[in-house]
Amino acid sequence: MADDLQKGLDDVLVAESSLSYIDGDAGLLAYRGYDIKDLAREASYEEVLYLLWRGELPDRDALDEFADELAAERAIDESVITTLDGLATADERPMAALRTAVSMLSASDAEENDPDDLDASLRKGRRIAAKVPTVLAAYDRLRNGQEPVEPREDLGYAANFLYMLDGEEPDDVAAETFDMALILHADHGLNASTFTGMVIASTLADTYSAVTGGVSALAGSLHGGANQDVMETLLELDESEKDPTDWIRDAIDNDRRIPGWGHRVYNVKDPRAEILTEKSKDLGESSGEKKWYDYAATIEEYLTEEENFPEKGLAPNVDFYSGTVYYQLGIDLDMYTPIFAMSRVGGWVGHVLEYQEDNRLIRPRARYVGPENREFVPIDER
């Protein structure tokens, strides 16, 4: 590979952004200059959406107005429900169902696409963010033979999703924990799905197209899905009835890959994982069932010892504990990546708006390495 070829675009600067800042060596993530730890512990997901899209944290009146606007857009058209029911009958994967539904949502949006009208693009993004939880909850219920639950405008973003999922209003601990998880996943620089959305937006396609592209990219196993893999690994550990330390030792000896461990950007523990570690422990203590946190913590402790796992620079990422959080909230494993997408809509829309302010079509080049000067041979002479 030539020295000037950056396969995977590692460390290639393609844009400037004021949405999120990452320091992989210090374990720092900030949205618009605010440390993710402060936002996760003190703000709501609605506040973070406002921050990502408008650049500043809202005051109380602005937040109330913004939250009301979001809540008023939660309902989805009956045609979308019908399509979701058909996909559920066909046993479609939740991420594929979400991709189809997001694309379909544009059909019920009467506002014309005008790439020069960023306020219109923001309104479209707001509608998508409001409706995605309704889509996901409806799909999960339909595939389990249940009727969808209508959204409630009097509940917060996180609490409403959990309510629509099982028909029961969540307690404060569950709602606050899920809200925190949404904040932690809202944005993370130019990851694959965000960059995909930006490329689409650079063509002046509408926000629905960009978000559909983001969902499609996130569905790939190298981007989304690690939190589900982590939980499946912990369930395997549980079923083995082995001591967790013995199990992880055997896994390493057999060259097994440990999901949720290591990150393309962070060389220390992912700051989002630090917060979810606390919430996983809190949920376990609250329910009296701490084993899922204990399993993860034991694996982390074992792998942190260099003599046990000599690959330096590897530490837990956000997925290592988010799976245990979602599992303790009673959420199906294959809904974990769709929930990731639900949260990341905030970042996707924010980057679309930011890039289109000073738009330039993203059009990279590839070095041609194929054959040259070949003579064409008519088909009857080949």
Side-chain angles (χ1 to χ4, degrees), residues 254-305:
N254 288 296
D255 295 323
R256 281 195 56 173
R257 174 183 168 274
I258 307 302
W261 200 262
H263 195 280
R264 187 83 162 255
V265 176
Y266 296 107
N267 297 315
V268 295
K269 187 171 181 177
D270 187 329
R272 301 168 297 174
E274 290 184 19
I275 298 167
L276 287 172
T277 300
E278 299 170 8
K279 298 312 294 183
S280 178
K281 183 177 181 181
D282 290 345
L283 282 173
E285 290 175 345
S286 176
S287 67
E289 179 64 277
K290 273 190 63 193
K291 68 178 180 180
W292 304 113
Y293 164 77
D294 289 339
Y295 287 159
T298 299
I299 291 174
E300 179 182 357
E301 181 179 5
Y302 183 86
L303 295 182
T304 301
E305 296 296 328

Side-chain angles (χ1 to χ4, degrees), residues 93-100 214-216 218-220 334 337-339 341 348:
R93 293 168 293 115
M95 279 297 282
L98 177 62
R99 178 196 64 215
T100 299
V215 172
S216 301
L218 189 62
D334 62 356
T337 304
I339 287 170
W348 292 334

Side-chain angles (χ1 to χ4, degrees), residues 95 218-219 224-228 333-342:
M95 279 297 282
L218 189 62
N227 47 14
Q228 179 179 342
L333 269 64
D334 62 356
M335 290 291 287
Y336 295 179
T337 304
I339 287 170
F340 188 168
M342 180 173 81

Side-chain angles (χ1 to χ4, degrees), residues 100-123:
T100 299
V102 170
S103 181
M104 190 176 181
L105 289 176
S106 67
S108 58
D109 192 329
E111 191 162 18
E112 292 293 325
N113 179 47
D114 181 356
D116 293 324
D117 186 350
L118 292 181
D119 287 336
S121 295
L122 174 56
R123 288 191 293 271

Side-chain angles (χ1 to χ4, degrees), residues 2 9 12 33 52 61 66 72 106 132 146 172 181 194 202 229 235 247 270 272 276 282 292 298 318 346 371:
L9 299 182
V12 174
L52 290 174
D61 289 342
F66 179 71
S106 67
V132 164
Q146 300 171 304
D172 290 343
T194 298
S202 79
D229 294 341
L235 286 166
W247 187 91
D270 187 329
R272 301 168 297 174
L276 287 172
D282 290 345
W292 304 113
T298 299
V318 67

Side-chain angles (χ1 to χ4, degrees), residues 35-97:
D35 193 304
I36 190 63
K37 296 177 183 177
D38 294 331
L39 292 171
R41 293 181 175 123
E42 303 295 337
S44 65
Y45 182 66
E46 289 92 331
E47 286 178 82
V48 168
L49 285 183
Y50 191 103
L51 173 67
L52 290 174
W53 296 350
R54 301 189 179 181
E56 300 292 342
L57 286 169
D59 61 21
R60 174 58 62 187
D61 289 342
L63 176 60
D64 288 344
E65 180 182 0
F66 179 71
D68 287 345
E69 290 171 343
L70 266 177
E73 302 276 11
R74 287 174 178 165
I76 57 177
D77 194 82
E78 188 61 35
S79 62
V80 178
I81 295 290
T82 301
T83 298
L84 290 173
D85 194 25
L87 293 171
T89 301
D91 198 27
E92 182 61 281
R93 293 168 293 115
M95 279 297 282

Side-chain angles (χ1 to χ4, degrees), residues 191-262:
N191 52 80
S193 56
T194 298
F195 186 61
T196 298
M198 277 180 51
V199 171
I200 293 170
S202 79
T203 71
L204 300 185
D206 69 358
T207 311
Y208 289 94
S209 299
V211 173
T212 301
V215 172
S216 301
L218 189 62
S221 61
L222 292 183
H223 189 7
N227 47 14
Q228 179 179 342
D229 294 341
V230 170
M231 200 60 226
E232 288 174 346
T233 299
L234 297 183
L235 286 166
E236 179 188 335
L237 187 164
D238 187 59
E239 291 171 3
S240 75
E241 298 184 350
K242 287 185 177 180
D243 177 84
T245 301
D246 293 337
W247 187 91
I248 188 61
R249 184 185 298 116
D250 292 343
I252 295 301
D253 289 345
N254 288 296
D255 295 323
R256 281 195 56 173
R257 174 183 168 274
I258 307 302
W261 200 262

